[in-house]
Amino acid sequence: MIKVASLSFWHVHARDYAKQATEHPDTEIVAVWDEIPERGRKEAEERGVRFYENLEELLAQPDIAGVIVDTPTNMHRDVMVAAAQAGKHIFTEKVIAPTLKECDEILAAVEAAGVKLTVSLPRLNEGYTLAVQEILEQGLLGELTLVRTRLSHNGAVPSERGELGWLPSHFYSLEQCGGGALIDLGCHPMYLANLFLGEPESVTASFGYVTGKEVEDNAVAVLRYPNGALAIVEAGFVNRFSPFVIEIHGTEGSLLYSTHDDKLLVRSSKLGAEAAKEWQVQKKPEARKSAFHQWVSHIQNGTTAEENIRLARDLTRLMEASNLSARSGAAFKLSDLQP
C-alpha cells in the first residue's frame, strides 16, 4: 500500500483526486496539509487522517511515499521542490508552474531525487484523443494546415449558485492562478493542439474580461508554425452550452469531434472517391487509465512518465508565452522564452 498525503484542497479537483486515491486499491491517504489550516483540518477530520500545519513536518514522515499537490499555482514551485527533496513522489494538477523557469526547477529537483512525477492532463487519455492520433498517423488528412480546439463552461456566470458563478472566488486571483480561463480551462485544448501539431514558432493571445474579474474569462490563442499551419485554442468561463470541440484540417481531409453528439467524423480523399463524398464516423478506442493510475504504476514499476512530463513542460511554455503575448498585444516567439 502506497501511503500518500494531500497537499492543499485549494483546487476544484482536489477532492476528486483524494477520491481516486481512496478508491485505488494500492493507495491510501494518511495525512493532509493545507496553506489554509482551517480547510485542511476539516478535510483531514472528514477522512480520519493526520493533519499537519507545518509542511516540513509532514514531508519528514517516513511512512508517506507520495503527495498529491493541489495548492495555488503560484505555490507549486516551492511545494514540489520541497516534496522532491524529501523523497516524495508527486502527482499534481496542471500547470506544473506559471513560468518555464519554475517548471524546470521542479523537474530538476524531481530528477535529482529520483522520484516519480505525473501531471493531470486527462484528455490525453480519452478515446477520442487516441483515435485522432491514429488517424493522423495514417496520414488521412494529408499535410495539416489548421487545428482548432475549444473548451468552455459557465463557471463565472452569475446563477442561483452565487453572483460569482460556481467557480471558487480564488480562481479569479491573478496572483494565485497566474491567469484565468486560458491557464485553467484552456490548458486542455492547448496541450491537445500541441500534441497534434507539435511546438509552434510563436503564440498570439487575446483575452476578454466579460465579468470584470482581474483574470480573463474569455480567451483565444493562435499558434503559428513555420510551415504556415495554425492552431486556434479557445477557452472561457462565460458560456453555458459551449461543447468541447476538436477540428483538424489538412490538404487531403478534415476531422471533426464535438461532445454535442460525441461523434468523431472524418472526410478524406485518401479513403477513395466514393467514401470521400460523405463524412465517415470513426470508432473510438477505450480510454487509457487515468493519470493518477499511471502515477501509481510508475511508482510501482520504477518507470517515468516521459510523454506526460514533456507535454506538461510544453504546456507551461505555451501558457507563459500566451500571457506575455496578451500583455503586450503582439505575437511572442517561443525561442524568446528563456528557461
Side-chain angles (χ1 to χ4, degrees), residues 27-76:
T27 58
E28 175 188 9
I29 293 180
V30 297
V32 170
W33 168 86
D34 200 298
E35 74 278 5
I36 299 178
E38 296 83 358
R39 181 174 62 198
R41 195 171 286 110
K42 178 177 178 293
E43 295 289 345
E45 288 175 357
E46 283 185 13
R47 291 163 176 77
V49 302
R50 295 168 280 167
F51 172 73
Y52 291 87
E53 195 158 337
N54 183 285
L55 179 59
E56 289 184 5
E57 184 182 356
L58 181 150
L59 294 176
Q61 302 305 307
D63 65 320
I64 296 175
V67 294
I68 302 170
V69 178
D70 280 305
T71 67
T73 307
N74 67 329
M75 295 181 67
H76 274 199

Side-chain angles (χ1 to χ4, degrees), residues 9-12 39 167-174 176-177:
F9 281 80
W10 174 87
H11 202 280
V12 290
R39 181 174 62 198
L167 282 173
S169 59
H170 56 250
F171 262 52
Y172 307 124
S173 167
L174 181 60
Q176 292 184 51
C177 301

Side-chain angles (χ1 to χ4, degrees), residues 171-206:
F171 262 52
Y172 307 124
S173 167
L174 181 60
E175 178 184 6
Q176 292 184 51
C177 301
L182 192 67
I183 200 169
D184 173 58
L185 202 57
C187 276
H188 302 291
M190 185 69 84
Y191 63 68
L192 288 178
N194 184 59
L195 177 69
F196 300 147
L197 269 182
E199 181 182 292
E201 183 178 61
S202 67
V203 178
T204 304
S206 184

Side-chain angles (χ1 to χ4, degrees), residues 277-292:
K277 292 179 181 179
E278 297 181 353
W279 292 94
Q280 307 294 318
V281 178
Q282 306 294 304
K283 291 183 179 179
K284 302 187 295 293
E286 289 292 319
R288 291 189 300 211
K289 292 283 190 179
S290 72
F292 185 86

Side-chain angles (χ1 to χ4, degrees), residues 156 158 164 172 208-218 238:
L164 292 176
Y172 307 124
Y209 298 82
V210 176
T211 57
K213 308 293 193 302
E214 67 173 356
V215 299
E216 80 282 358
D217 50 28
N218 204 18
V238 287

